[in-house]
Amino acid sequence: MGLTRRARDVGVAMAILALTALIVVRVGGGGGETFTGAARAADGDTLTLDGHRIRLVGMDSPELTQTCRRDGADWRCGAAARSRLAELLREGPITCRTQGTDKYDRWLARCENTAGDLGARMVREGLAVAYGGYEDEEQFARAERKGLWGAEFDMPQQWRRTNGRPQEDVHDAEPGILDGILRAFGL
């Protein structure tokens, strides 16, 4: 009986340690990979780094071929968003912290360099809209009538719907094994 009880106690102690380790990883923001290096812009919210396609989370930019109207004339707002992201990427190496992948197998990440958080910059400058994050930056851009907010435009999500492009959900990462375990424990 003593051996069985001891084995059970050891098992419970191991389970508690494992759960504690998972909580520490979760609270510490662990679970994602970090990539650092030079990147290039695919469009206003997607970039390529070390062969990985990375979608900036928390924001959505106009599609590359999307046009808007500013001062009574067409404005290639999608191309402008890509150009601005490319400029920000030329300011130096970036570091991206992934948060999973989306349904297109792109990494979802927050990325930064000496220019700061790239998603925040794009939204604050009015070349992207808040899409699950960066609401304060969008309010600033709206108030200052920056970029899209000083123009007539369709929200990127609406433009995709109208122009037969694939719809994108708010970019939540696909749940991984760790997320499943933590949800099972109500964390």
Side-chain angles (χ1 to χ4, degrees):
M1 190 86 158
L3 185 58
T4 306
R5 185 178 211 178
R6 181 176 169 89
R8 185 187 71 213
D9 290 347
V10 168
V12 168
M14 295 291 283
I16 290 170
L17 286 172
L19 181 58
T20 302
L22 288 173
I23 291 169
V24 167
V25 166
R26 179 66 169 208
V27 171
E33 293 186 52
T34 300
F35 294 95
T36 300
R40 58 185 174 76
D43 59 27
D45 53 30
T46 306
L47 54 94
T48 304
L49 172 64
D50 290 338
H52 298 281
R53 299 238 335 142
I54 298 175
R55 174 63 164 78
L56 298 174
V57 296
M59 52 86 91
D60 195 14
S61 72
E63 293 298 311
L64 195 53
T65 58
Q66 185 172 344
T67 57
C68 303
R69 301 241 347 132
R70 185 166 59 185
D71 299 327
D74 284 344
W75 169 46
R76 295 181 54 221
C77 52
R82 177 183 179 205
S83 293
R84 181 60 180 139
L85 182 59
E87 283 177 31
L88 292 171
L89 293 173
R90 284 192 294 272
E91 290 190 26
I94 65 166
T95 299
C96 295
R97 179 87 155 139
T98 65
Q99 300 177 6
T101 58
D102 67 7
K103 63 184 177 182
Y104 303 109
D105 285 330
R106 297 176 296 191
W107 286 106
L108 298 174
R110 291 201 183 262
C111 301
E112 60 184 29
N113 65 4
T114 58
D117 180 311
L118 300 176
R121 286 288 299 266
M122 292 294 291
V123 174
R124 187 175 183 85
E125 293 178 15
L127 292 169
V129 297
Y131 200 58
Y134 304 117
E135 286 80 10
D136 291 341
E137 288 82 357
E138 182 177 293
Q139 288 304 316
F140 173 83
R142 281 177 183 245
E144 297 288 321
R145 303 193 44 75
K146 292 189 173 283
L148 298 168
W149 304 109
E152 297 171 38
F153 74 101
D154 290 329
M155 293 294 264
Q157 191 73 349
Q158 178 61 38
W159 190 90
R160 286 190 289 272
R161 194 174 4 268
T162 303
N163 289 277
R165 298 293 173 88
Q167 292 302 302
E168 295 195 27
D169 299 321
V170 172
H171 296 96
D172 293 323
E174 295 293 323
I177 294 171
L178 176 61
D179 287 324
I181 292 169
L182 291 171
R183 266 192 233 109
F185 286 104
L187 303 173

